Amino acid sequence: MKSAVENLNPTRVRLTVEVPFEELKDSLDAAYKKINQQVTVKGFRKGKIPARVIDQRFGRGAVLEEAVNDALPKFYTEAVNEAELNVLGQPEVDITELKDGETLNFTAEVDVRPAIEIPDYSGIEVEVDAVEVTDEDVEKSVEQLRERFASTTPVERAAEDGDVVTVDLEAKVEGEVLEDGVANGVSYTIGSGELLDGIDDAVKGLEAGGEATFTSELKGGSAAGKEAEVTVKVTQVAKRELPELDDEFAQMASEFDTLDELKADSRKRLENMKQFDQATQAQERVLEKLLELVEVPVPEKLLEDEINTRKHNLEHHQLGQMGLTLDKYLELQGKTAEEFENETREAAVKGIKTQFVLDELVKQEKLNVNQEELTEHLMRRAASSGMSPDQFAQAVVEQGQVPLLVGEVARGKALAVVVEKATVKDTNGEIIDLSDEDESEAAAESADAESAEAAAEEKSEG
């Protein structure tokens, strides 16, 4: 077999392959054997029909077609390996010549990863938000904890702001009660904004047994986005009572003995959260600077596939779970279809470029992923997916996604290497040390490195 490579552009090549006919022998033998098992010829036992009889009865062309279909993937793979190409997606194959007993010639056009040159990135400088926790932040955190320990006491009076009401709801669209438009015994805190628009004004002033009707746009269900006439009946009014902020509350709500200790712990927790957010922000901004330094051609077919994947996931998974259509989502976001298309394309381009650049860095820096790192990453991904680690690991193995997770970890490590060499300052001008390995790599894995998975990982092996 002989093969040659022609670069059509930085991300696409054409392979020209010439195969001597004798190299098709195994595939021809397999073709005759397969046809033998599928046909019956009078006078011959099944599976024992001579090749010349198959040629006469069914045509040599049918045998050649079967043999070529069997052989093409093997010769294509050999040509790819011989040329050391990093292909993306499936090739477009064209048989240019097939002479029985002489030769098989074909071409294969396929997208490839572009050659990327990573320049010196040690001079990257970025600014991030300073880690500042105010007394107001601490008070807000403690107040949120206090809200969780609020108690309710039924009262015989009209409902007021902050009260917890138990209500029965019935929604009608165009005069018809919706199948999923009836709910009884719903608990709602007036002013929380957690149910329907307009319900606060409807229930305020009502006592137990009171009823009101209002119009509201449904947020979910079979009639999501439609105007509905909603009847609400209050069955109970209860007053929310917050516990006193004192040492007794601290002992009830935490492992601390005093309110001061509880507040100190809240401050520390908020600092840790902001430090993690700061590390993530540093990763994202360093990544943006890195991408500005590198010229990365993007394969058009890969880009279109990624755009379609993102749209499909948004429409059929994220929005589907919320009962929203894409048009309604765009309306709520205040975006036009054109703006959405442009944003999706920009995000897809960034995702693909990110993966290409970080993969090149993995190779350049000779980074490896050990079992402990993979396990830690799997645990984090399992937690974010809502599955147990065992369930998530089983799903990953069954779907053949272990290489995908290894790639995520490797890219996270590559980005951490770049951040380590960058100068990161906060808004106060202080240099930030992001040398904490666990925090740095966890933040790296949550940066744009993962946004490219759907774009290239599934297609990178062709």
Side-chain angles (χ1 to χ4, degrees):
M1 185 194 82
K2 293 192 301 183
S3 64
V5 180
E6 177 187 357
N7 293 313
L8 302 177
N9 62 47
T11 63
R12 194 165 180 84
V13 300
R14 178 188 291 124
L15 283 164
T16 301
V17 184
E18 298 179 11
V19 182
F21 205 79
E22 56 266 25
E23 293 188 30
L24 285 171
K25 184 179 183 306
D26 289 345
S27 294
L28 278 168
D29 290 344
Y32 278 117
K33 185 175 181 180
K34 181 176 180 180
I35 294 173
N36 240 307
Q37 299 300 322
Q38 294 175 336
V39 300
T40 302
V41 176
K42 189 175 181 180
F44 297 96
R45 286 182 296 163
K46 195 174 186 66
K48 299 295 184 180
I49 307 169
R52 59 179 175 77
V53 174
I54 290 178
D55 288 345
Q56 291 169 356
R57 290 293 185 92
F58 305 102
R60 174 71 169 176
V63 179
L64 288 175
E65 182 180 356
E66 182 69 39
V68 169
N69 288 339
D70 175 73
L72 275 179
K74 180 184 70 171
F75 292 124
Y76 165 73
T77 301
E78 286 181 10
V80 166
N81 293 337
E82 186 178 285
E84 297 182 343
L85 298 176
N86 196 337
V87 298
L88 300 165
Q90 296 298 320
E92 294 180 6
V93 177
D94 182 26
I95 298 173
T96 57
E97 187 175 28
L98 175 58
K99 289 186 177 179
D100 194 357
E102 295 182 28
T103 186
L104 163 66
N105 298 336
F106 69 92
T107 62
E109 289 189 16
V110 67
D111 286 335
V112 294
R113 283 186 180 239
I116 297 174
E117 186 174 336
I118 308 291
D120 179 20
Y121 49 80
S122 59
I124 289 178
E125 294 186 11
V126 297
E127 184 180 74
V128 295
D129 295 334
V131 173
E132 296 175 345
V133 177
T134 65
D135 291 343
E136 184 181 346
D137 292 332
V138 175
E139 295 300 329
K140 183 178 178 181
S141 175
V142 173
E143 189 62 28
Q144 289 173 343
L145 181 63
R146 187 185 180 204
E147 290 279 348
R148 288 169 51 192
F149 284 85
S151 59
T152 57
T153 304
V155 292
E156 295 182 2
R157 60 164 172 76
E160 302 173 356
D161 264 328
D163 284 345
V164 178
V165 290
T166 303
V167 297
D168 296 338
L169 297 165
E170 180 184 85
K172 293 181 180 179
V173 173
E174 298 177 353
E176 296 291 329
V177 177
L178 299 172
E179 288 186 12
D180 54 354
V182 177
N184 295 322
V186 177
S187 181
Y188 175 67
T189 301
I190 300 176
S192 67
E194 294 174 352
L195 269 179
L196 298 166
D197 292 338
I199 192 171
D200 289 341
D201 291 336
V203 297
K204 277 191 292 188
L206 295 181
E207 298 183 20
E211 189 174 298
T213 300
F214 63 100
T215 301
S216 182
E217 184 179 298
L218 299 178
K219 297 180 181 179
S222 61
K226 293 185 178 180
E227 289 288 327
E229 182 183 85
V230 182
T231 300
V232 55
K233 180 178 181 180
V234 176
T235 58
Q236 179 180 279
V237 178
K239 180 181 179 181
R240 294 181 79 251
E241 296 179 341
L242 297 173
E244 291 293 326
L245 279 179
D246 52 23
D247 292 347
E248 186 177 339
F249 167 72
Q251 293 165 17
M252 173 183 66
S254 70
E255 70 269 31
F256 301 104
D257 293 326
T258 68
L259 184 60
D260 287 342
E261 289 175 332
L262 173 60
K263 288 183 176 181
D265 181 70
S266 294
R267 183 179 295 275
K268 183 62 178 175
R269 288 175 184 271
L270 290 170
E271 286 175 352
N272 289 341
M273 288 172 58
K274 291 199 173 188
Q275 284 171 352
F276 184 85
D277 291 342
Q278 186 187 65
T280 302
Q281 190 179 62
Q283 302 282 352
E284 292 171 347
R285 293 184 178 177
V286 167
L287 175 61
E288 288 172 2
K289 292 280 189 179
L290 177 64
L291 293 180
E292 290 172 7
L293 294 176
V294 187
E295 186 68 32
V296 186
V298 175
E300 193 58 36
K301 178 67 166 61
L302 182 66
L303 175 58
E304 293 306 317
D305 287 348
E306 169 65 355
I307 290 172
N308 291 333
T309 297
R310 287 170 181 260
K311 287 180 181 177
H312 178 85
N313 289 340
L314 176 65
E315 285 192 69
H316 299 280
H317 298 292
Q318 300 169 41
L319 298 183
Q321 291 176 355
M322 295 187 287
L324 291 176
T325 64
L326 179 59
D327 288 342
K328 188 61 186 177
Y329 167 76
L330 294 180
E331 181 185 327
L332 294 172
Q333 293 290 313
K335 294 178 183 176
T336 65
E338 184 179 2
E339 288 171 334
F340 170 71
E341 289 286 340
N342 291 336
E343 288 179 7
T344 304
R345 176 171 287 270
E346 288 176 10
V349 168
K350 183 181 180 183
I352 294 170
K353 286 185 175 182
T354 295
Q355 180 167 346
F356 285 173
V357 170
L358 294 183
D359 281 347
E360 184 63 29
L361 271 169
V362 168
K363 186 167 62 174
Q364 181 176 301
E365 299 290 341
K366 297 181 174 59
L367 300 174
N368 295 310
V369 176
N370 61 40
Q371 186 61 47
E372 183 180 354
E373 291 167 335
L374 183 60
T375 300
E376 289 176 359
H377 180 61
L378 187 147
M379 299 279 280
R380 280 193 289 268
R381 288 290 302 273
S384 64
S385 71
M387 300 170 68
S388 72
D390 287 345
Q391 288 175 323
F392 187 80
Q394 183 178 350
V396 166
V397 172
E398 288 177 352
Q399 296 170 21
Q401 292 184 334
V402 173
L404 186 147
L405 259 65
V406 171
E408 288 178 1
V409 178
R411 283 185 279 279
K413 293 179 72 172
L415 185 53
V417 168
V418 182
V419 172
E420 187 179 343
K421 294 183 179 180
T423 300
V424 182
K425 293 182 180 180
D426 67 16
T427 48
N428 294 328
E430 297 290 328
I431 292 181
I432 306 301
D433 179 14
L434 294 173
S435 59
D436 185 310
E437 187 175 333
D438 290 339
E439 183 177 272
S440 179
E441 289 184 14
E445 290 165 17
S446 69
D448 279 357
E450 291 186 14
S451 71
E453 291 306 327
E457 187 64 41
E458 294 177 1
K459 306 173 184 69
S460 62
E461 299 303 325

